[in-house]
Amino acid sequence: MAFTSASFIVLTIASVLLYYIVPKKAQWCILLLASAAFYMAGSVKAFAWVILVSGMTWVTGLILGRYNAIKPADKAQKAQIQHKKKQIAIICAVCCFGLLYAMKYWNFTLELLPSALGNHIPRWDFVVPLGLSFFIFQSMSYVIDVYRGKYAPERNPLRYGLFVSFFPQMVQGPISRFDQLAPQLTAERKLCWDDLQIGIQLALWGYFKKIVIADRAAVLVNNVIMENCPYGGAVIALGILFYCIQLYCDFSGGIDITRGVARMFGIDMTLNFRRPLFSTSLTDYWRRWHITLGAWMRDYVFYPLAFSKPFGKLGKWARKHFKGMMGKICATSTATFIVYLIIGIWHGANFRYIAFGLWNGILITASLLMERRFLSWKEKLHINDKSTGWRIFMTVRTFGLVFIGRYFTRAPRLKTVFTLLGTTVLHPHFSEFTSVVPTLGLGISDFIIIFVGILIVHGVEFFEERGTDVQAWLNERPALMQLTVLTVSLVVLLLFGIFRAGYISSEFIYKQF
């Protein structure tokens, strides 16, 4: 069930109405039923995997909770309990991530094996469930947090199942934490007009970015970025630029819809997207883009790696053999590199995603190693790093690095990535630009709409970056102005989006991850 479909709108409206009509103690049951309906509308068989993962992690949480409740008599018993807890958590992790590997990466692994061997190993032909990596990561964060004793396990399997399968977040996140989301899902609420108003505004803003901008930009992208692309480098660069626009509005728009729908139920979802185009470094960019995935990797991959015994030994060895900054940050830089490599692999079973992880991992690791030298250069050149000019330079530089990285995430395979990059640099063919662009599926009006739409999006983000809460400012205006903005938004969405000639709604890009 796509967010842009009429069935999703109907499901959301019906769920909101029922949520505030039924007795407050039963409100969370409406959310559970809506989540089950949302998922089963896509695939009943796939929903079975959600139930399996939910059941497995819920039981694991209960077992870990029992061990947490034991008060050890001495250090020996404490160590024994800790060892058993670790074994249980590892078994659960192997099962969950093993399922993720089997569904997303097993067939890819077989393709890497010699045909004499790979052809004799069974392939995984099951349908990959919607949001597989999202609900597995979310479930495992719960297990790890219970293992660490951060909170007590949830004893009600249905309430826990709602946490795993809450329908607005299933398509592309955010990856929520149990202690942040679960209490909100089961809270008893009265109808709050402010929640409905903010929720509708957020959802409309998300639909504007997705339907009016992203889906329109996708037309040009699909006509340019392909295997055996016949165009010169200038047109290819335009295609990647429009892909950047598409991805930016597709992902941030989807997150806004998620937060908007959840807010209609009075639920405040974790922020997952914070104006990444205002970033001044690649590290800053990824801290703002898919925030909850980065936070998950930080808490459950980077810290355990960086503070593990093997990495402690690596740090001691590096400080002994390397002088200066290299020796001090070798271990943490290695852990950082591994995290970005994993993030690349997380995107999918394809060498281009591995290369994407390497691209970001190498650049960010290199920036850590070169940080002191960069600071020295700035001091010698008397650069004021707080000046507007320097911030603009750093922002443009960061976008350039991100722009190159988008070749990896959009091209169909790794060989095509390097072909497109090579053509962009070596064979720009600017002369064909004006004759080719009008044939790529977009008219002059479409380019104008995309341009104006981007100006609106980044105008709003500019004020938010400077500390203005645009939505709060709007809600403080007179009711007539608010109604006018809402009406204009709906008209724009309908005329320039849903009802435009030849409009075909596309799936959210992050759905495939």
Side-chain angles (χ1 to χ4, degrees), residues 311 314-315 317-318 322 325-335 369:
F311 273 73
L314 174 62
W317 179 87
F322 300 110
M325 182 62 69
M326 178 67 177
K328 292 180 180 179
I329 68 170
C330 178
T332 54
S333 297
T334 303
L369 295 173

Side-chain angles (χ1 to χ4, degrees), residues 162-184:
L162 173 59
F163 160 72
V164 175
S165 64
F166 183 47
F167 74 96
Q169 68 180 7
M170 293 301 285
V171 175
Q172 54 184 7
I175 303 171
S176 302
R177 305 295 175 90
F178 183 80
D179 55 338
Q180 184 273 331
L181 179 60
Q184 295 191 77

Side-chain angles (χ1 to χ4, degrees), residues 464-503:
E464 290 180 340
E465 187 69 12
R466 299 191 63 170
T468 301
D469 188 333
V470 176
Q471 189 173 40
W473 175 87
L474 175 62
N475 291 336
E476 292 171 357
R477 301 307 98 188
L480 180 59
M481 180 178 174
Q482 294 182 42
L483 181 61
T484 301
V485 171
L486 181 65
T487 304
V488 171
S489 300
L490 282 171
V491 171
V492 168
L493 188 61
L494 293 173
L495 291 183
F496 299 111
I498 297 172
F499 294 152
R500 73 181 174 94
Y503 171 70

Side-chain angles (χ1 to χ4, degrees), residues 376-440:
S376 174
W377 289 346
K378 280 199 299 183
E379 186 177 348
K380 289 178 181 179
L381 295 171
H382 304 289
I383 293 174
N384 179 8
D385 57 7
K386 294 184 179 180
S387 66
T388 302
W390 179 252
R391 184 176 179 85
I392 291 173
F393 167 75
M394 295 293 285
T395 301
V396 172
R397 184 208 63 166
T398 301
F399 176 74
L401 297 176
V402 172
F403 179 82
I404 296 172
R406 291 308 176 200
Y407 280 80
F408 293 94
T409 58
R410 182 57 183 84
R413 57 197 182 104
L414 186 59
K415 182 180 178 181
T416 312
V417 172
F418 295 118
T419 301
L420 294 174
L421 278 170
T423 304
T424 301
V425 175
L426 302 175
H427 308 286
H429 294 167
F430 292 109
S431 58
E432 73 171 14
F433 192 83
T434 54
S435 61
V436 169
V437 171
T439 69
L440 298 177

Side-chain angles (χ1 to χ4, degrees), residues 218-447:
V219 175
L220 185 144
V221 175
N222 294 335
N223 285 328
V224 173
I225 310 302
M226 64 182 80
E227 195 78 46
N228 301 318
C229 176
Y231 306 116
V235 174
I236 291 172
L238 179 69
I240 294 297
L241 176 63
F242 269 61
Y243 174 64
C244 291
I245 293 171
Q246 178 197 359
L247 184 60
Y248 194 90
C249 292
D250 185 281
F251 185 39
S252 66
I255 293 299
D256 289 334
I257 296 169
T258 294
R259 293 181 61 222
V261 172
R263 190 60 182 265
M264 293 178 202
F265 299 104
I267 297 166
D268 190 13
M269 300 294 290
T270 304
L271 188 66
N272 202 36
F273 197 90
R274 192 179 65 251
R275 305 175 297 281
L277 284 188
F278 289 89
S279 305
T280 55
S281 69
L282 202 56
T283 301
D284 185 31
Y285 185 90
W286 294 119
R287 284 174 182 160
R288 293 165 174 256
W289 181 286
H290 211 331
I291 296 170
T292 55
L293 175 63
W296 196 99
M297 290 291 174
R298 178 197 65 210
D299 294 342
Y300 305 116
V301 179
F302 175 79
Y303 286 149
L305 276 179
F307 295 111
S308 65
K309 289 182 179 180
F311 273 73
K313 293 179 180 178
L314 174 62
K316 289 181 180 179
W317 179 87
R319 286 190 293 272
K320 183 179 179 180
H321 290 82
F322 300 110
K323 295 181 180 180
M325 182 62 69
M326 178 67 177
K328 292 180 180 179
I329 68 170
C330 178
T332 54
S333 297
T334 303
T336 300
F337 178 81
I338 291 172
V339 165
Y340 281 97
L341 179 60
I342 292 173
I343 289 175
I345 296 171
W346 172 84
H347 282 79
N350 196 302
F351 282 117
R352 62 192 174 96
Y353 290 128
I354 297 174
F356 176 68
L358 290 171
W359 168 256
N360 288 286
I362 290 170
L363 288 176
I364 290 171
T365 303
S367 69
L368 291 172
L369 295 173
M370 297 288 290
E371 185 177 9
R372 283 194 175 181
R373 183 163 295 182
F374 289 148
L375 292 174
S376 174
W377 289 346
K378 280 199 299 183
E379 186 177 348
K380 289 178 181 179
L381 295 171
H382 304 289
I383 293 174
N384 179 8
D385 57 7
K386 294 184 179 180
S387 66
T388 302
W390 179 252
R391 184 176 179 85
I392 291 173
F393 167 75
M394 295 293 285
T395 301
V396 172
R397 184 208 63 166
T398 301
F399 176 74
L401 297 176
V402 172
F403 179 82
I404 296 172
R406 291 308 176 200
Y407 280 80
F408 293 94
T409 58
R410 182 57 183 84
R413 57 197 182 104
L414 186 59
K415 182 180 178 181
T416 312
V417 172
F418 295 118
T419 301
L420 294 174
L421 278 170
T423 304
T424 301
V425 175
L426 302 175
H427 308 286
H429 294 167
F430 292 109
S431 58
E432 73 171 14
F433 192 83
T434 54
S435 61
V436 169
V437 171
T439 69
L440 298 177
L442 297 181
I444 295 177
S445 61
D446 293 311
F447 284 102

Side-chain angles (χ1 to χ4, degrees), residues 56 60 64 82-98 140 143-144 147:
M56 184 165 50
T60 301
L64 292 172
Q82 187 66 19
H83 179 68
K84 289 182 178 179
K85 284 172 55 182
K86 184 177 289 187
Q87 286 182 321
I88 294 165
I90 289 174
I91 290 171
C92 183
V94 169
C95 291
C96 288
F97 291 121
M140 279 308 305
V143 170
I144 296 170
Y147 164 79

